[in-house]
Amino acid sequence: MELPRDVLRAVEQALVEDRADHDATSLALVPAARRARGRIVARADGVLSGCDYAAAAFVACDAAVELEWLAEEGARVRDGQEILRCHGTARGLLAAERTALNFLQQLSGVASATAEMVAAVGREVTVLDTRKTVPGLRHGQKRAVVSGGGVNHRRDLEDQLLLKENHFALSGMDYAEAVRHAKAASGGRIVGVEADTEEQAVQALEMGADYVLLDNFALAELPAVAGRLRARFPRAVLEVSGGIRLASAAGLRGCGVDRVSVGWLTHSAPALDLAFYLEPAA
Amino acid sequence: MELPRDVLRAVEQALVEDRADHDATSLALVPAARRARGRIVARADGVLSGCDYAAAAFVACDAAVELEWLAEEGARVRDGQEILRCHGTARGLLAAERTALNFLQQLSGVASATAEMVAAVGREVTVLDTRKTVPGLRHGQKRAVVSGGGVNHRRDLEDQLLLKENHFALSGMDYAEAVRHAKAASGGRIVGVEADTEEQAVQALEMGADYVLLDNFALAELPAVAGRLRARFPRAVLEVSGGIRLASAAGLRGCGVDRVSVGWLTHSAPALDLAFYLEPAA
Amino acid sequence: MELPRDVLRAVEQALVEDRADHDATSLALVPAARRARGRIVARADGVLSGCDYAAAAFVACDAAVELEWLAEEGARVRDGQEILRCHGTARGLLAAERTALNFLQQLSGVASATAEMVAAVGREVTVLDTRKTVPGLRHGQKRAVVSGGGVNHRRDLEDQLLLKENHFALSGMDYAEAVRHAKAASGGRIVGVEADTEEQAVQALEMGADYVLLDNFALAELPAVAGRLRARFPRAVLEVSGGIRLASAAGLRGCGVDRVSVGWLTHSAPALDLAFYLEPAA
Amino acid sequence: MELPRDVLRAVEQALVEDRADHDATSLALVPAARRARGRIVARADGVLSGCDYAAAAFVACDAAVELEWLAEEGARVRDGQEILRCHGTARGLLAAERTALNFLQQLSGVASATAEMVAAVGREVTVLDTRKTVPGLRHGQKRAVVSGGGVNHRRDLEDQLLLKENHFALSGMDYAEAVRHAKAASGGRIVGVEADTEEQAVQALEMGADYVLLDNFALAELPAVAGRLRARFPRAVLEVSGGIRLASAAGLRGCGVDRVSVGWLTHSAPALDLAFYLEPAA
Amino acid sequence: MELPRDVLRAVEQALVEDRADHDATSLALVPAARRARGRIVARADGVLSGCDYAAAAFVACDAAVELEWLAEEGARVRDGQEILRCHGTARGLLAAERTALNFLQQLSGVASATAEMVAAVGREVTVLDTRKTVPGLRHGQKRAVVSGGGVNHRRDLEDQLLLKENHFALSGMDYAEAVRHAKAASGGRIVGVEADTEEQAVQALEMGADYVLLDNFALAELPAVAGRLRARFPRAVLEVSGGIRLASAAGLRGCGVDRVSVGWLTHSAPALDLAFYLEPAA
Amino acid sequence: MELPRDVLRAVEQALVEDRADHDATSLALVPAARRARGRIVARADGVLSGCDYAAAAFVACDAAVELEWLAEEGARVRDGQEILRCHGTARGLLAAERTALNFLQQLSGVASATAEMVAAVGREVTVLDTRKTVPGLRHGQKRAVVSGGGVNHRRDLEDQLLLKENHFALSGMDYAEAVRHAKAASGGRIVGVEADTEEQAVQALEMGADYVLLDNFALAELPAVAGRLRARFPRAVLEVSGGIRLASAAGLRGCGVDRVSVGWLTHSAPALDLAFYLEPAA
């Protein structure tokens, strides 16, 4: 497994943050020559993500470590299931342990939450992430969303346009004019437009919006609104957003929307519980 | 407010990750000369943390931005309460918005969770964090724990020793010998020791452990165990850990332990909900 | 003018490369307190680009420098036309001079070449850049292309898919299958496809390619091929590439293609000639 | 071949700029286990430079890649000549391709232009570069000049002094005094001096200038001027500069000057045309 | 030997500072394929420190270098004793030589000075370092102190509190109040307190200071003062500081203090003299 | 005073190393709004160097700090003399104190040692530094040598050639051939040559060495050797090196050599003693 350089850099930074090369406990107690075997085991059901981050942590602390992955990026894991077996220097495994787990648990938490959301909304609705990511982990979190069955929304402020209320307020143009202007100035980028009313959604689509973000429409209204929009714009892409949690997600089934963007997948998903066991080895 | 350089660096990195200098939407729609006023408003009750990160994001996108904080680091905020008023270039505020909120929501989530835990365990028990932090955010998260009323455990692998099961297994020494050895080799650092049984706790304290981490003792046993340990070691510091969530936290009251370390404060606390409103300004 | 952080970083790196803080000539001859006025003047006709890089160089060497731009990003300039007046410390202006000019000449060279190409192909054909950029200057060069009247192709390997001969060869799939597969696995990204024959172009468009890159078609063939493709796929986007220089560019007029991507805009455009004049000032 | 760390760093930066670890096209189409053979072939005559940059790009994307160079740094290559054969993971070769070629084409362009200039001016005149380099590539470009048969002028503002018109204007000293002063304050560094007239050249050499840069002298005058200067200062080093292109370079033969410094070698040389072919391999 | 990443980073920086990849002398004289054997030999008695830095320098210049250490971190070495044998490319060994020696001599100088100080004060008094370290080398110097038989004081401004005269002056509190306040606000960190008089020492210990730093007490007074303090506070830790050089160090024996902190160990210890010999090898 | 970016970077790194933004003592005791005045005072005679490093430390911790320098780079200072007055936030001054002093004391130590050596060898002999510098501080130390009245030798491995015994041994050429070869391959750089015998010195000068480094010649021999060399090579530059300390330096007077290079100026000079006093201010 070749490790991407943003993964390597994030892991380097985390190891420095943890002063992993200067583990006072290991230096005091564990002989330099001692070798060990370790195992990462799931303590809950979920979807695995971040294996490359964990691998990078172990390799960074012991360049000759042997890693045997028993589950891979995106795999569903069960409570008690073994995920990784590793063999290397005892000090290296101890130094890497916390950093490896911190990445793996965080990212698997995102993947697991995404998988639950995907199951809740059903096949017809695509689950998207947002830019509400943990600073420094955007790439890892967005990959975790894919591993959990979701799809990535725009990567950053540069690669797509998304017109929201604040942009309309600050543009000094009326709604339709702003959409047309954005489309013309987009340089070929995708242009999404937030709509607060059906009328705005119509204007946005007329002006060539690549997708419409229906914001804060009541779930009960959505089927009728979506139906009318599709009748007029058969190729329209309809997205909903805002406050949809797991409990309410099933309500999106049959609403006629194409996709839902969900902030909490990346800003509030709880970590997946994982344990790390070590024992002396030859 | 002078901003610490680790805050500045983390914010720089997050702005680069978001390509905040190249916001395609603003560049298409918002004139460069336009100015705006913004407000951050709480949409839930909680404890505020990360103001310096948010400030750094705004300053980085508009060096002349004016920031008026209506609540400060560690303040309790209520749903609907205004937290920050800002005034600057419209493009600068839009570029900084997401990065500022991502930090502020993440860290306020940690502070809010800590405050709930502190309230649950009551006055006699100190709530501590762990090294189970989001990679890259350890310093901010540990400060958030303090803002929420908690206390910081060790900062990294270098500044204290903490002997856990894995260390004993790999040290090649018996329990008491390992503790004595660690104490002697600690170079004056604090030495904590995990104990799975009362007998181990006694050995650890006899060998000079600065605190004992009682791991996985049943809540029901704790008062008796703690009582006997204190009878013998009046100055002993007793910590518990492992699987204590908000719901079970009240069970620690009156158990006779000094402190509890809680991983989920930093790895699984949900973000605090905050909104950002913008309007044109002179 | 707020300076983007990638501009600042590139300029920092260039100043370090030039050891601009340790200009042995200035330190030997120019008193620290001396002030000067400088002027940048065009010595050829062209299109200006890179003003922010030049500004960053001057500001980095004299934080209080005064800059008065007489032409802005994207402006056409004439031989002899004054572009910038600056006033600051003599040492600061001397230290920044070469770095400022190196960026400004390189990027204005790209913008000027693009403008010539745009004029040559006429209104109906869009001029696009490629990823054949000078390492480290991609963002600046792509902006220069826009300043010269061109449009940016994909920014990097991640934000769009572009299937070329090498990908087909290595995919282990036949042409149509590969396009369909790529479209399905694109996660919503734009998918461009290179076609060596009209038949491939048809397959690509049938499989949903967002645009087709007609590679090495004879100019004489293009009108008929483009006509037949448009008859069948009215919304098809047709791009040509490969070996089109200024001299042959006019041949693209009336060919029925939408756009042309041109590598030499960024890898081989000559620098625009600019001079810098300095004189003592109060 | 050990790769210098500035080469590695420049290549790292270029790969990050291209998001080479996240090649959406390869990830969608090319299996991770597929291996490939690649060949770089010249499509024009020229001089090769930048092999270490290209090697670094391939190694960075596939640590186990096998590289067989059929031509080395500084070699003359012919249209159609094979330059490199490589064997590695298909994804790695695809990820590195553009970055490797961007460096190799840019730097070979500089070497090729230098070789043409060297041939034009003949044996007696040394061809020197300038500080008019592409920001971030100075070291690579200066090596390319050497590979093309040229010699490097000063590396940066610190390692030598070069007194030009702007320095005289800002020094507040007269010409001869400034040269003497610079020589005294040079700390043993080489001191070059620009001269606009023969009289200045005489003064500069009298004051100990290590070389004189004859600026904008008519080619027709040079033999006589150089003759008189040499008669008086037999060890004088005479350099010319300013506006000498390939077409006029032959005019320097027999002029009696030692060397010519040429800005366009590094700021305006066109890239050398190279192609990269890939095929599946075992 | 796994090399800590701060060691690697410091060595990288030093090699860049020395332009070690571009050794003009080696490139001119030593064929790329030549191999060599080198030896580092002590030219004075002392204690060795910094082996990992030296190793990192050699490995960075020749990844396949073979290193055979004949003495290890913390070993006493004698004038003439061989310390390291290495075998690798001639160019690599020459490039690394100066950087390896600069680290090894500097850090061995610190270790050697510490060992002399430890011998001078005798067993009962612990020799501590300070934060008066060479910028950028703190970690290496503090390890050298340990290698020389000393113990590390606080690592930085964050991990412990140390109240000195300036803090009292700026706190706006009286002495005892400030100590109590610091202890309460320390978040569990160690709190040291400087005392200029015995009365202050008493107050500091009453308020819970973890150690007292007796500043500028006459050596002759110390036994009596220390005796009275211990009578009252049997567990008190007493430290002295300020102006104690090797010559006066023996005066600390029998004074009743626990430890002495010594700035010159890290800011003024002379380098240990070492030589590097090279010869051609197969 | 504009601060060079290598100074700023070195200071940044040192402040991070000291965790200066997180000074636990100040945070516990000193109110954020408190302001203070500080003074740096010499506690020994010497020559000042590193003022820009100290300034950078104070500015980095309090951007609005006021600094009044009472002595400047290169000034002789006396025990008790005030060097700097500063006024700023109490926390900022406390955070910067140690870093500012660490640089200023180290570099002033180098300048002071150089000044002593310069006085010892007298006017006719130039005192040069070497590459035996503290890693990371080369530029600052070399400037300190100049401030103390010395002159800088080569800056790094790239900017000059210096042929020593190891190079001869590894070149595979005889002595004279190696010198001629190096001179030819130097690309115009200065070429110094070490000579162990008078015969080698003659060969080196015959082959065009820019200076000869007479290594380990007995002081008593030097006048005769130097006399003979000068008789034959009137423009020869003669340097001595190796083991010359302050005590023996006067022996170089009248020996006929031009310069002496001295390693201990940068690797073993003791820090200059400086004190920092703080008091509350309005």
Side-chain angles (χ1 to χ4, degrees), chain F residues 202-216:
Chain F
V202 168
Q203 287 182 301
L205 290 166
E206 277 176 340
M207 293 300 155
D210 293 293
Y211 66 94
V212 171
L213 180 54
L214 301 171
D215 197 45
N216 292 321

Side-chain angles (χ1 to χ4, degrees), chain E residues 168-185:
Chain E
F168 290 113
L170 296 172
S171 71
M173 304 179 213
D174 72 27
Y175 187 87
E177 184 190 356
V179 178
R180 185 177 43 224
H181 193 81
K183 191 73 191 165

